[in-house]
Amino acid sequence: MIIVDVVRGYVPASPGAEMEDFEGGITNVLLDLARTVSPASGTLFRYGGKDLYQLFPAEQPVPPKSTFPRGAPDAVAVSAGHGVYFHHGFGDWRFQRDPSNGIIEDEVTSSYAAELKRWLEARSNVRVYRLRSDSPTLHGPSLQEWWKLAARYRLQLLYPGNPELWNSLPGSTASLRERDEDIRSRPLLANHIGAAAVFHLHTNAAQPSATGARVFYHEGRDDDASLARNTLCYMKELVSTLSRYKNYYFPQEGDQGATARTA
């Protein structure tokens, strides 16, 4: 593991989107650098020697009721990364990611989620919950098609009586509070429906040099590590059959650490 201790008095204001972007950007660079010398299994962040849960005790996760079940799980959640949200500072609706390599990650991940849902249902016979919508109809307040919106707004529509799922920061005045609530809503919904697993899909748009695939999982979970390993192996077999991708790098193991805490 690579331990990153951020000193000189910097402490994140909240364990939300800005902290996730900060840690994610550093993690991507460090893991790629370590790959050329001695591959690391993940990153752990400290702030003046304190970990996330010492800084924000309320974020301490509830221990899982069980490990990933043997055989086919009853239900899983598939979460397409990001999506349009309302920015209270600028007073507008916007994507969570800027354009990168000619695409917007928020739009691409939705099609990945649809594909994964289809194969999970066909081959594993599980109930799959899409956390973001796939509807082409317009969402009135944003004037955006529903499939472009972040998960928070779909959960608000589906679970009006459970604001703790989509409005988990009711007292916040932060400009990014609805983006932070979106990040939090995904594991909250997975727990609410009793999902055996939740898959968060991203394109690593923050790292233009990215190739192959990367799987993050929560530290200390052996079953999750096995799932990450199998996913990478299977993806490498598929992608490497295409000549233009034959030199893409795929790690043998997943990466663990704080980066995966929302998963």
Side-chain angles (χ1 to χ4, degrees):
M1 297 290 287
I2 298 175
I3 298 178
V4 181
D5 198 346
V6 184
V7 294
R8 297 179 184 266
Y10 171 74
V11 177
S14 68
E18 290 182 311
M19 182 177 182
E20 184 177 79
D21 287 347
F22 173 76
E23 293 186 0
I26 294 175
T27 292
N28 283 331
V29 172
L30 289 180
L31 292 179
D32 276 353
L33 288 174
R35 184 176 93 194
T36 64
V37 182
S38 178
S41 62
T43 55
L44 293 174
F45 278 79
R46 302 288 184 266
Y47 295 86
K50 296 181 179 180
D51 66 20
L52 169 74
Y53 305 120
Q54 289 174 299
L55 293 175
F56 306 104
E59 297 299 312
Q60 189 70 38
V62 177
K65 296 180 180 179
S66 64
T67 58
F68 196 83
R70 304 301 177 188
D74 181 54
V76 299
V78 173
S79 170
H82 308 300
V84 171
Y85 74 104
F86 185 77
H87 191 297
H88 285 269
F90 293 103
D92 63 9
W93 293 84
R94 56 180 58 203
F95 288 108
Q96 295 185 31
R97 283 287 180 259
D98 294 327
S100 178
N101 294 322
I103 64 172
I104 298 176
E105 180 175 355
D106 309 51
E107 295 183 323
V108 174
T109 54
S110 185
S111 62
Y112 291 167
E115 184 80 357
L116 179 58
K117 177 180 184 293
R118 182 169 70 88
W119 286 111
L120 283 170
E121 290 176 335
R123 294 191 173 181
S124 298
N125 194 30
V126 294
R127 291 180 295 124
V128 179
Y129 292 81
R130 285 278 303 277
L131 301 189
R132 284 177 57 186
S133 175
D134 59 1
S135 172
T137 60
L138 287 183
H139 169 253
S142 68
L143 297 180
Q144 296 278 352
E145 293 178 346
W146 266 102
W147 71 267
K148 294 184 180 181
L149 288 176
R152 178 201 184 279
Y153 306 102
R154 181 169 188 254
L155 301 187
Q156 182 177 3
L157 178 68
L158 296 178
Y159 299 92
N162 299 96
E164 70 279 3
L165 299 178
W166 44 268
N167 187 29
S168 59
L169 300 172
S172 175
T173 59
S175 297
L176 294 178
R177 58 183 177 271
E178 292 196 16
R179 183 179 167 191
D180 289 343
E181 287 177 337
D182 175 58
I183 293 173
R184 297 164 64 91
S185 72
R186 301 164 191 251
L188 288 173
L189 188 278
N191 288 340
H192 182 74
I193 63 175
V198 53
F199 297 92
H200 295 273
L201 303 176
H202 296 271
T203 67
N204 219 355
Q207 187 183 17
S209 62
T211 63
R214 173 167 282 161
V215 178
F216 291 99
Y217 65 95
H218 199 287
E219 60 187 298
R221 297 183 181 177
D222 293 339
D223 290 328
D224 294 19
S226 178
L227 179 60
R229 189 181 307 116
N230 291 338
T231 300
L232 289 165
C233 180
Y234 187 57
M235 290 189 70
K236 181 178 181 179
E237 288 182 356
L238 288 174
V239 175
S240 298
T241 60
L242 304 175
S243 59
R244 63 184 180 275
Y245 299 132
K246 65 181 180 181
N247 294 323
Y248 268 30
Y249 171 79
F250 284 85
Q252 292 184 336
E253 303 286 340
D255 298 308
Q256 60 178 318
T259 309
R261 63 175 174 268
T262 58

